[in-house]
Amino acid sequence: MEQPLYVLIVALALTGLFVAIYIFRKKHSQRPLVCPMRANCDVVIHSQFSTFLGIPLELLGMLYYGGLAALYMVALTVVAPSLINPLIVLGLAASAAAFVFS
């Protein structure tokens, strides 16, 4: 039962990674983002709140989503069951920290 959940988490983490990469590339190429309902996302992307301690938030997002995808891919492929629980605890801790941060 756990494997389909891990696959779903990997898929969602990769989706988040690709969204963060998209934002990073558009932001640094000075091209406008595609936003829903004709909103202006550039106001948010280039605001004073788009960095944390001088680090662009899209880079932090890429690190988080890439790390989470890698962590659960390892959990899917690891053969030693004793290693799975620490990996899952690490993933949950990272997700809790990301939730609090956001």
Side-chain angles (χ1 to χ4, degrees):
M1 180 62 191
E2 293 165 345
Q3 280 194 331
L5 179 62
Y6 296 170
V7 171
L8 176 64
I9 291 170
V10 169
L12 292 173
L14 289 175
T15 301
L17 175 64
F18 291 130
V19 169
I21 291 170
Y22 169 77
I23 292 170
F24 179 81
R25 293 184 70 186
K26 289 290 186 171
K27 182 178 176 181
H28 294 284
S29 68
Q30 299 296 322
R31 295 188 345 219
L33 292 163
V34 175
C35 294
M37 299 187 297
R38 299 181 187 158
N40 185 5
C41 294
D42 290 322
V43 172
V44 174
I45 297 302
H46 296 288
S47 77
Q48 67 182 13
F49 303 108
S50 67
T51 62
F52 180 73
L53 299 176
I55 303 169
L57 290 179
E58 62 272 13
L59 287 178
L60 294 176
M62 285 189 279
L63 287 172
Y64 168 70
Y65 288 119
L68 197 64
L71 186 85
Y72 278 90
M73 281 191 269
V74 169
L76 278 168
T77 59
V78 73
V79 290
S82 63
L83 294 177
I84 292 177
N85 284 341
L87 291 174
I88 301 310
V89 168
L90 182 61
L92 288 173
S95 295
F99 176 77
V100 169
F101 177 79
S102 70

